[in-house]
Amino acid sequence: MNVPRNRFFWTLPAALTLIATSGGVHAQEESGALQSQSKRSDQLEEVVVTARRREESLQDAPVAVSAFSGDAMREKGFTNIGDLTKSVPSLQIASPQSTQIYIRGVGERTGFVRVDPTVGIYLDGLYIPQTDGALLNVLQISSVQVLRGPQGTLFGKNTTGGAIVMTLEKPSQEYSASLTGGFGNYNLRDLSGTINGGLSDNFAASLGFSAVKADGYTKDISGYETGNEDSVTGIIQTRWDYSESLTVDSMFYYGKSDETVLGSNCELVNVDALTVNGLYIQWPGDTSPSHPSPSTPSAWADNCNANSEEVLGDLTTNMGKDAALALTQTNMLFGTTLDWALAENHNLKFLVGWQGGLEEGPLQTNDSDGGPQFLLGSYNIDDSDRDSYSLELQLNGSLFDSRVTYSSGLFYMQQTNSEQFGALFGLAGLDGQTLAELGSGTQPTAPAGSVPFVGIFSGPLVLSDFDLENETFAIYGQASADLSEHLQLTAGIRYTREYRDYQLEIIGPDRDAISSRMVGTHTGPYGPVTFGPAVEGLHPCACTWAQDPVAVAHSLFPDADGDGVPDYPLDYTNTQKERRAESFSKTTPMITLSYDLTESSWFSDTLAADSAMIYATWSIGFKSGFFEPNGSDGLLRIEPETVENSEIGFKMDALDRTVRFNAALYQMNYDDQQLLQVSVDSSGAVGVIFKNVGESVITGAEAELTW
């Protein structure tokens, strides 16, 4: 559920905007930024992109790319990069606060640092390994380009889904300042501004800032709101024109947010799932009477339905009083770029980047049951600390009177990260007959009302302390050659080596302490309930299901610290430790053939085309393998993911450049795609972890029409 707010900035900026300049408002030129020109006011702009490390018209680039200038985004009413989902085909960002970015249906759901993002984010050429806080306010943005499909032969980090390339407006010698504010419903308050000017003849600086506050627009019946905004960001930039051939650009970004992720309702998709009816597991609230044909357990489904939109209506949730997903983040990013014109047609760039101070506060990362009771899920225990730095050397240029253009680079990145999280599978029960059938390896049938067994057959709580270090080294290159006036061939290749070094500590439940607390007679809502000694973690109960023994067992472990998780005793003396390290490498090629159809009389006469081109691309994408914590089984090796992408595209401007139509057909064949799946470890604990899918295929079409 994602309902956009109705912000009415369009009446207020005139009253709240102050522009002070010395010499008037100016257009800043930036190498690598998107530019646009227009011959007439009723013609479409000629958009110049740098998706292939050189300036060329959007309609001449044989790449599935969408591009927007900062001015165009502001005219559309965009407030941050997340608003691109309104205008870019195949791009999806889960929510205004989320950095879960998908292109062509491919993305990374969790944000865990052990998993490489499927979509790469670049800011002024610097790769941002963790995209938390990457949805910048558009005030400082000069241009944004969204490239769809595997990217690797032009960028520092290899990605299988695509890339978002953002460029900031650079400082200039002319003095200027701007201040923009607005307010709207849900108590929205928004303030942003910039200051720019020269500090000496060859040195200029700028400062940009923004602050947003707004109340949440969904409300949980427990009383709290979700979907609120409370963020502050600032960007300081400098430009040093050391000489006519050497420029040094530096940037420092700071962002802080303390928000609540937009809440969601629950929908029961599969009633035969293992935790619902598949194993006839009894959850707190199940009261199947003891008779020959007892009813199917319903607590899991009832819990989900209690938070359904059909029951609650729009903009209302029932996730539980402790289920608000906090989004507390602090992020700092520093980058310096040396841009050196070696010769007339050859350019060398050296980029240094650092991302640090990134702290992500504790939050509930997964609530599998989707309702007010926290029956199965995972959560962050403490702050997650993340640091990284990168070095990249690029050589770009052209040969033979620009008939051949090339781009090449060396890339190195190191990341150190820590994550602490817990997996909860609460106390649950099984009917005696069902337990016997599972033990014999047969398919369970409906429970027959035999002795209830309640206990910790799958957990109930496992804590993990995860430290990891990632290193990436890559060398890449791409060249385009004009084979004729209309035919162009582009080819590229990349070698990537990823090193992963992971250390894991696992603290499991103290089964003896849990068992000793359960044994005996306890008072429940329907009278005394007596648990006997545990049988492999399960306690037989001298009671009927109608006495709700699972709920009684849960009541023995209250949530004394108020973190939303029952306080089960943990076995710290038998902490499990494991370390695994391995390198993953791959060589990935790409090739594109494009043909200019502008001179074709059929296109120019029949379709009134001003320009037209068709292209075909074949490429290989690669995503590193890693190690995934899998409950008591420790670290599970996840194979690298590869994708073979085949694509045919068409671009056309027509009717005196008043209509633009771009389209693409694509098919992505994956081997060992890394997807979240429900898994059971050797102790019986159920969890949602990453695993490899043998083969998968994504086929699609996308189109952009501008009139």
Side-chain angles (χ1 to χ4, degrees):
M1 181 176 59
N2 183 1
V3 180
R5 284 197 306 275
N6 179 23
R7 302 185 180 191
F8 45 88
F9 288 117
W10 37 91
T11 60
L12 290 174
L16 297 178
T17 301
L18 170 67
I19 300 178
T21 63
S22 175
V25 180
H26 60 280
Q28 300 178 5
E29 296 182 357
E30 164 58 21
S31 175
L34 177 150
Q35 303 171 9
S36 48
Q37 300 172 344
S38 179
K39 295 180 179 180
R40 286 201 329 252
S41 60
D42 60 344
Q43 285 184 323
L44 291 171
E45 295 177 328
E46 180 183 354
V47 180
V48 178
V49 297
T50 57
R52 298 196 296 169
R53 299 290 186 193
R54 63 178 185 271
E55 293 185 357
E56 59 186 336
S57 169
L58 172 69
Q59 297 305 91
D60 293 336
V63 180
V65 56
S66 298
F68 298 89
S69 67
D71 289 339
M73 295 176 65
R74 289 184 281 272
E75 289 174 2
K76 290 176 177 290
F78 292 178
T79 58
N80 62 42
I81 303 302
D83 290 329
L84 287 171
T85 55
K86 302 172 183 176
S87 298
V88 176
S90 301
L91 174 67
Q92 181 184 13
I93 299 176
S95 77
Q97 301 160 311
S98 173
T99 48
Q100 296 176 5
I101 302 173
Y102 297 77
I103 293 181
R104 291 179 173 174
V106 179
E108 202 278 287
R109 290 182 178 273
T110 65
F112 289 144
V113 295
R114 59 183 179 271
V115 187
D116 281 346
T118 304
V119 177
I121 303 292
Y122 294 86
L123 180 63
D124 277 354
L126 298 171
Y127 175 69
I128 303 178
Q130 301 302 325
T131 57
D132 309 74
L135 302 186
L136 300 179
N137 186 291
V138 300
L139 185 69
Q140 296 89 33
I141 294 295
S142 172
S143 70
V144 176
Q145 302 173 60
V146 181
L147 289 76
R148 299 182 286 277
Q151 305 295 325
T153 59
L154 284 171
F155 295 95
K157 184 70 174 179
N158 198 48
T159 57
T160 55
I164 297 178
V165 181
M166 301 180 289
T167 303
L168 295 171
E169 294 180 347
K170 294 297 179 288
S172 69
Q173 289 293 324
E174 296 188 49
Y175 294 101
S176 64
S178 68
L179 183 65
T180 302
F183 64 87
N185 51 350
Y186 297 98
N187 200 25
L188 171 68
R189 292 147 291 163
D190 193 331
L191 182 67
S192 56
T194 60
I195 301 173
N196 174 86
L199 302 181
S200 68
D201 291 341
N202 62 352
F203 190 84
S206 68
L207 168 66
F209 67 91
S210 66
V212 180
K213 281 182 174 289
D215 297 338
Y217 56 94
T218 65
K219 188 171 184 178
D220 195 87
I221 63 174
S222 300
Y224 58 83
E225 295 177 341
T226 64
N228 71 305
E229 295 183 63
D230 186 356
S231 63
V232 176
T233 61
I235 299 178
I236 299 175
Q237 296 186 83
T238 62
R239 165 161 283 195
W240 181 24
D241 294 317
Y242 178 79
S243 67
E244 292 185 358
S245 60
L246 178 62
T247 299
V248 181
D249 289 318
S250 297
M251 174 267 296
F252 176 76
Y253 167 84
Y254 174 84
K256 185 174 183 178
S257 62
D258 186 4
E259 304 173 339
T260 306
V261 177
L262 183 66
S264 61
N265 297 114
C266 182
E267 180 181 357
L268 191 61
V269 178
N270 180 14
V271 296
D272 294 322
L274 296 182
T275 53
V276 186
N277 293 338
L279 294 180
Y280 298 100
I281 295 176
Q282 308 280 342
W283 298 98
D286 277 319
T287 55
S288 299
S290 298
H291 57 75
S293 299
S295 61
T296 300
S298 61
W300 183 282
D302 292 342
N303 187 43
C304 174
N305 292 330
N307 186 29
S308 68
E309 188 173 357
E310 290 76 10
V311 172
L312 301 171
D314 195 21
L315 301 180
T316 305
T317 61
N318 182 17
M319 300 185 298
K321 65 182 181 66
D322 299 305
L325 303 185
L327 189 65
T328 304
Q329 298 177 144
T330 301
N331 189 11
M332 290 184 288
L333 179 68
F334 172 79
T336 294
T337 300
L338 282 71
D339 194 342
W340 183 20
L342 294 175
E344 182 178 356
N345 297 315
H346 305 280
N347 180 266
L348 185 69
K349 277 189 176 183
F350 181 59
L351 300 91
V352 179
W354 171 80
Q355 185 179 18
L358 177 55
E359 294 184 358
E360 189 170 65
L363 61 90
Q364 183 176 306
T365 58
N366 176 265
D367 183 11
S368 299
D369 55 81
Q373 296 190 69
F374 191 22
L375 304 177
L376 172 62
S378 59
Y379 65 102
N380 287 85
I381 303 169
D382 205 345
D383 290 349
S384 175
D385 297 323
R386 311 175 184 184
D387 293 281
S388 66
Y389 69 86
S390 62
L391 304 171
E392 186 169 3
L393 185 66
Q394 298 176 359
L395 179 62
N396 309 307
S398 62
L399 303 165
F400 309 114
D401 295 329
S402 298
R403 292 193 301 273
V404 175
T405 58
Y406 69 90
S407 177
S408 59
L410 293 170
F411 177 76
Y412 176 80
M413 182 180 68
Q414 185 181 65
Q415 299 172 267
T416 56
N417 309 284
S418 66
E419 292 179 338
Q420 295 179 310
F421 57 94
L424 173 72
F425 192 109
L427 297 177
L430 282 178
D431 184 272
Q433 175 179 308
T434 302
L435 185 63
E437 291 172 338
L438 290 173
S440 64
T442 60
Q443 182 71 28
T445 59
S450 62
V451 175
F453 281 83
V454 178
I456 54 174
F457 69 96
S458 58
L461 181 64
V462 177
L463 303 184
S464 301
D465 193 345
F466 199 35
D467 294 310
L468 58 153
E469 180 176 318
N470 298 342
E471 286 188 355
T472 300
F473 170 77
I475 180 171
Y476 61 88
Q478 181 174 303
S480 298
D482 295 332
L483 303 181
S484 69
E485 184 180 354
H486 305 293
L487 184 64
Q488 184 183 82
L489 174 67
T490 301
I493 194 166
R494 174 191 182 91
Y495 171 77
T496 301
R497 184 184 69 84
E498 304 274 2
Y499 176 72
R500 301 289 187 260
D501 187 350
Y502 293 0
Q503 298 183 62
L504 175 66
E505 293 187 1
I506 300 176
I507 304 170
D510 188 334
R511 294 176 178 270
D512 292 338
I514 294 175
S515 293
S516 63
R517 189 179 301 183
M518 287 185 60
V519 172
T521 302
H522 307 280
T523 302
Y526 307 104
V529 173
T530 302
F531 296 103
V535 180
E536 294 184 355
L538 291 171
H539 295 72
C541 180
C543 62
T544 65
W545 286 118
Q547 294 173 274
D548 206 1
V550 181
V552 174
H554 269 264
S555 68
L556 303 177
F557 305 92
D559 177 22
D561 56 11
D563 63 354
V565 180
D567 296 331
Y568 297 107
L570 296 173
D571 186 7
Y572 290 96
T573 59
N574 294 309
T575 299
Q576 177 183 344
K577 297 182 180 181
E578 183 177 6
R579 179 176 182 178
R580 298 191 65 176
E582 187 173 344
S583 293
F584 303 89
S585 61
K586 183 75 173 179
T587 300
T588 52
M590 68 81 61
I591 188 168
T592 297
L593 195 63
S594 61
Y595 189 81
D596 187 350
L597 301 168
T598 304
E599 300 299 324
S600 170
S601 59
W602 187 86
F603 281 92
S604 60
D605 297 339
T606 306
L607 296 182
D610 302 290
S611 67
M613 65 96 70
I614 189 172
Y615 68 90
T617 294
W618 175 85
S619 60
I620 299 293
F622 171 75
K623 186 178 176 184
S624 175
F626 59 97
F627 296 98
E628 174 80 349
N630 184 27
S632 60
D633 293 337
L635 292 171
L636 173 68
R637 185 182 189 274
I638 306 299
E639 297 291 337
E641 170 184 301
T642 58
V643 57
E644 180 183 9
N645 180 66
S646 302
E647 181 177 332
I648 297 176
F650 174 75
K651 296 184 176 185
M652 181 179 69
D653 282 356
L655 300 178
D656 198 16
R657 297 194 183 278
T658 60
V659 173
R660 177 169 296 155
F661 178 72
N662 297 342
L665 300 173
Y666 59 87
Q667 179 169 299
M668 298 184 291
N669 297 301
Y670 282 88
D671 286 328
D672 293 318
Q673 189 173 15
Q674 300 164 358
L675 295 177
L676 286 170
Q677 302 175 52
V678 176
S679 178
V680 180
D681 66 13
S682 59
S683 70
V686 179
V688 180
I689 67 171
F690 275 95
K691 281 191 173 183
N692 292 110
V693 177
E695 294 182 357
S696 54
V697 178
I698 297 177
T699 303
E702 59 198 17
E704 289 181 278
L705 175 64
T706 307
W707 189 1

